[in-house]
């Protein structure tokens, strides 16, 4: 492996293998249209995005109940795709597949304990229908919210599909989130039903999920019924009249259930994501545009073909799992792997063993995982035959060139291009991403997917395209998977995404575009941490800390971290009567884990007498962060109490 310094300096471009390019879905598509290369395709698609996206809808085989009357209606800041169509994503993801691919395996599922289940499209169809009928029996109607708090078991996608099938809106909460976090989301969405499981295994120990769910819904009045999947056979308390075992409730249900004909722009799901201030935002996605966007990007970026075995390692509780484990692969009729367990359990070669065992051809993971495996050493990889792989993917944060090369060399054996996909919960699907034909520059997500108008703006809204200067990443026109709003919060929707540059979507990331038109993502501009590829609002961790009786104020910032991307560092001001101690630190860490979830547990806590603030009393995180990264402090003219900044520095030094 050439040394990293040299690699970073040289501007090597990696060309995908000829054979892969020649046989790719995108090449065939371009040949059919007489388009010579991807740059011409991008140009043509931007000249007429509505033409391009209706072509895409055909390419992925969308079947409408009623044809759209108009491809796009753009009434800023609200976009409606495939207007006038009657549609339901579950028709393409499931009903159609049960007809076309009845005996094809949809999911290969493996549990941490080694159990394996293979589910065909035919079986998936039956299961979803039975649960959908059960939900109806519980009184779930079109537009009702169904909360889902489940480990990575087949019943998780089944629950999502069953809700969507009858026109309900699902809202998944990652099973690693705490009862408090679940309660918040269930209350905000006013969910009528909660679907959960008794428990699951993680790193050999048992997680008691139902107990957490019970704690959460104690104060969630909207929840009328709870459905519990028996995953490991725990003896859990069941509340009479409210709680039902999954097996009992689906038993005897008909294996057919009519798919609700929705308007193209009716809500499909709400997914909560962290924002700069206040509570998580409920991002809403709709049926039709989202269906076209996720499936077209999967088909043309990961080049999914009939015989692929595709594995996305994300948790379904995040957007990556929603789009690229559940909806997109099913719409393409693909076979996917789902793994419920820790990546390095029982040994650090668990993933590589599974790639070999199932003959995985397309593998999609996150830089934080790659860095973890890098540390564990390539000897674990070399024990396995990974020759089935032909494409790799990365998502969640910028992939540092060192991790890129390791992934490329040890996992892809220098044969597999790496699709570094930039996107967000809000965008629904890939926005900036290579195609299998794209020459790659390690660390760059390359160029926008055809038909998507991405740019980098300066403060005044001038384009910095090809200037290689950092600025605000923006999307200038609607794309099919665009969020349709924030749940019960239209003001925040406008303020967060559309106010800075009029009628232009503000992503919240910094980026630059080099002379060749390649995008380089530089990270978040706002106060959002990226821990192991997951978005956590600084303010969420701060308010969790402040909810502890000992804490009066807190500032939370990120410290660059070798594996996690960012580590969480908290500065805490104690209330009168409390004294700093190691015990209290541990207590605060646990408190945050309880309030939000383990992923949000601060890595470092420092006690300080005061925090740097503006004259209006706002904590200046920017200055605190600069002390950590040892960056230039910049403008301090609004700083009211400079001595507090000195104390922050002292605290950092004191702790070594
Ligand atoms: C970051 C995850 C660089 C980015 C799909 C974005 C990335 C946030 C990449 C969204 C990438 C995601 N390169 N940064 N390939 N992918 N990000 O909503 O800061 O959980 O704004 O969606 O992750 O995180 P979210």
């Amino acid at each position: 492996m050439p040394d990293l310094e040299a690699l970073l300096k040289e501007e090597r471009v990696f060309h995908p293998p000829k054979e892969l390019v020649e046989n790719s879905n995108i090449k065939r598509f371009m040949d059919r249209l007489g388009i010579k290369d991807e740059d011409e395709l991008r140009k043509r698609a931007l000249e007429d995005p509505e033409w391009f996206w209706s072509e895409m809808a055909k390419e992925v085989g969308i079947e409408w109940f009623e044809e759209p009357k108009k491809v796009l209606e753009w009434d800023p800041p609200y976009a409606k795709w495939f207007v006038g169509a009657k549609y339901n994503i579950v028709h393409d993801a499931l009903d159609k597949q049960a007809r076309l691919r009845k005996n094809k395996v949809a999911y290969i599922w493996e549990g941490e304990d080694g159990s394996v289940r293979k589910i065909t499209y035919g079986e998936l169809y039956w299961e979803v229908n039975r649960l959908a009928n059960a939900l109806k029996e519980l009184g779930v109607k079109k537009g009702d919210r169904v909360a889902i708090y489940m480990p990575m078991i087949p019943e998780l996608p089944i629950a999502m599909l069953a809700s969507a099938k009858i026109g309900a809106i699902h809202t998944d909460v990652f099973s690693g989130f705490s009862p408090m976090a679940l309660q918040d989301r269930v209350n905000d969405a006013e969910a009528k039903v909660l679907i959960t499981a008794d428990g699951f295994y993680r790193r050999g120990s048992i997680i008691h999920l139902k107990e957490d769910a019970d704690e959460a819904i104690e104060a969630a009045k909207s929840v009328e019924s709870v459905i519990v999947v028996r995953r490991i056979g725990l003896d859990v308390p069941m509340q009479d009249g409210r709680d039902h075992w999954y097996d009992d409730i689906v038993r005897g249900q008909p294996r057919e259930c009519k798919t609700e004909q929705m308007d193209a722009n009716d809500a499909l799901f709400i997914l909560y994501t962290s924002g700069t201030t206040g509570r998580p935002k409920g991002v809403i996605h709709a049926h039709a545009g989202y269906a076209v966007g996720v499936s077209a990007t999967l088909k043309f970026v990961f080049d999914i073909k009939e015989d692929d075995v595709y594995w996305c390692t994300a948790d379904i509780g995040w957007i990556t799992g929603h789009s690229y484990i559940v909806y997109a692969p099913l719409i393409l009729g693909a076979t996917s792997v789902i793994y419920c367990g820790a990546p390095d359990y029982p040994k650090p070669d668990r993933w590589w063993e599974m790639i070999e065992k199932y003959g995985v051809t397309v593998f999609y993971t996150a830089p934080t995982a790659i860095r973890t495996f890098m540390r564990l050493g390539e000897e674990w990889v070399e024990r396995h035959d990974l020759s089935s792989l032909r494409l790799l993917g990365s998502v969640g944060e910028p992939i540092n060139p060192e991790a890129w090369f390791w992934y490329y060399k040890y996992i892809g054996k220098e044969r597999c291009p790496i699709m570094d996909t930039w996107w967000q919960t809000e965008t629904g699907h890939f926005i900036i991403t290579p195609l299998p034909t794209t020459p790659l520059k390690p660390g760059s997500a390359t160029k926008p997917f055809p038909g998507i108008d991405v740019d980098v703006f300066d403060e005044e809204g001038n384009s910095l395209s090809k200037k290689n200067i950092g600025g605000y990443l923006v999307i200038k026109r609607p794309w099919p998977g665009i969020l349709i709003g924030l749940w019960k919060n239209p003001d925040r929707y406008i303020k967060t995404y559309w106010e800075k540059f009029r009628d232009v979507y503000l992503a919240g990331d910094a980026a630059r575009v080099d002379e060749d038109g390649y995008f380089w993502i530089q990270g978040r501009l706002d106060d959002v941490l990226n821990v192991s590829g997951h978005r956590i609002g600084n303010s969420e961790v701060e308010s969790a800390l402040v909810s502890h009786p000992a804490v009066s104020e807190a500032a939370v910032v990120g410290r660059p971290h070798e594996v996690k991307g960012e580590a969480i560092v908290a500065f805490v001001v104690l209330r009168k009567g409390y004294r700093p101690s190691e015990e209290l630190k541990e207590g605060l860490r646990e408190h945050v884990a309880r309030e939000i979830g383990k992923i949000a547990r601060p890595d470092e806590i420092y006690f300080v007498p005061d925090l740097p603030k503006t004259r209006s009393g706002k904590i200046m995180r920017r200055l605190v962060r600069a002390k950590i990264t040892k960056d230039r402090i910049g403008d301090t003219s609004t700083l009211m109490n400079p001595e507090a900044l000195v104390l922050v520095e002292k605290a950092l030094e004191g702790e070594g």
Side-chain angles (χ1 to χ4, degrees), residues 319 395-398 420-425 509 521 524 535:
I319 191 67
V395 63
E397 57 178 306
D420 177 0
T421 61
W422 180 90
W423 58 296
Q424 309 177 292
T425 304
D509 278 19
I521 310 296
R524 299 290 303 183
R535 271 160 75 177

Side-chain angles (χ1 to χ4, degrees), residues 247-284:
D247 293 333
D248 294 341
I249 205 164
V250 300
R251 190 177 304 128
Q253 292 290 352
R255 284 171 173 164
E256 292 295 331
C257 174
K258 200 178 152 279
T259 298
E260 188 72 35
Q261 302 201 359
M262 310 292 285
D263 280 334
N265 291 284
D266 279 343
L268 166 65
F269 64 81
I270 305 169
L271 186 57
Y272 287 87
T273 187
S274 298
T276 308
T277 50
R279 317 263 291 276
K281 306 175 280 201
V283 170
I284 315 168

Side-chain angles (χ1 to χ4, degrees), residues 107-168:
Y107 289 122
I108 303 170
W109 176 86
E110 188 170 307
E112 197 180 75
D113 57 351
S115 36
V116 175
R117 279 168 72 185
K118 291 187 184 173
I119 300 169
T120 64
Y121 277 97
E123 290 165 334
L124 192 64
Y125 176 76
W126 279 5
E127 280 298 313
V128 168
N129 286 343
R130 295 201 308 161
L131 180 60
N133 286 321
L135 287 173
K136 276 195 193 164
E137 214 170 273
L138 292 175
V140 178
K141 299 200 173 57
K142 182 174 170 176
D144 284 346
R145 274 78 59 205
V146 173
I148 301 175
Y149 185 52
M150 280 167 100
M152 290 279 282
I153 53 178
E155 286 77 8
L156 170 49
I158 288 168
M160 293 161 73
L161 294 163
S163 308
K165 182 156 207 180
I166 59 172

Side-chain angles (χ1 to χ4, degrees), residues 459-613:
E459 200 63 47
E460 272 75 52
N462 305 305
S463 170
L464 294 171
S465 183
K466 302 201 178 181
K467 293 211 167 88
N468 225 346
I469 303 174
Y472 299 90
L473 186 65
V474 295
I475 311 177
K476 295 196 279 192
R477 280 183 280 181
W479 62 97
I482 186 170
L483 71 164
I484 59 168
L486 294 180
W487 185 251
K488 290 197 299 199
N489 213 337
D491 293 346
R492 197 165 172 203
Y493 172 71
I494 294 169
K495 211 167 164 234
T496 312
Y497 308 111
W498 305 98
E499 223 166 60
K500 175 135 187 115
F501 304 111
R502 225 186 125 73
D503 303 346
V504 164
Y505 173 84
L506 180 74
D509 278 19
R512 64 184 168 85
V513 189
D514 72 14
E515 294 76 3
D516 300 326
Y518 279 61
F519 283 72
W520 300 80
I521 310 296
Q522 298 166 315
R524 299 290 303 183
L525 282 162
D526 52 15
D527 284 319
V528 173
L529 301 157
N530 190 330
V531 180
S532 302
H534 298 310
R535 271 160 75 177
I536 298 168
N538 305 48
S539 60
E540 282 169 79
V541 185
E542 286 164 4
S543 55
L545 283 166
V546 174
S547 73
H548 188 284
V551 178
S552 77
E553 278 182 317
V556 166
V557 294
R559 184 203 285 279
H561 185 277
E562 236 187 89
V563 174
K564 296 201 272 191
E566 267 185 307
I568 302 179
V569 185
F571 295 85
V572 168
V573 181
L574 292 178
R575 283 182 194 281
K576 272 211 178 75
Y578 288 91
R579 302 190 59 86
S581 72
E582 283 307 310
E583 235 178 317
L584 181 56
K585 268 190 198 172
E586 203 35 49
L588 292 177
R589 264 193 213 109
E590 281 318 307
H591 180 72
V592 174
R594 235 184 353 261
E595 289 288 307
I596 310 175
K598 286 200 183 105
I599 39 165
R601 181 164 33 201
D603 297 85
E604 301 167 38
I605 293 183
Y606 300 99
F607 296 111
V608 287
D610 198 5
L611 289 165
K613 287 187 198 139

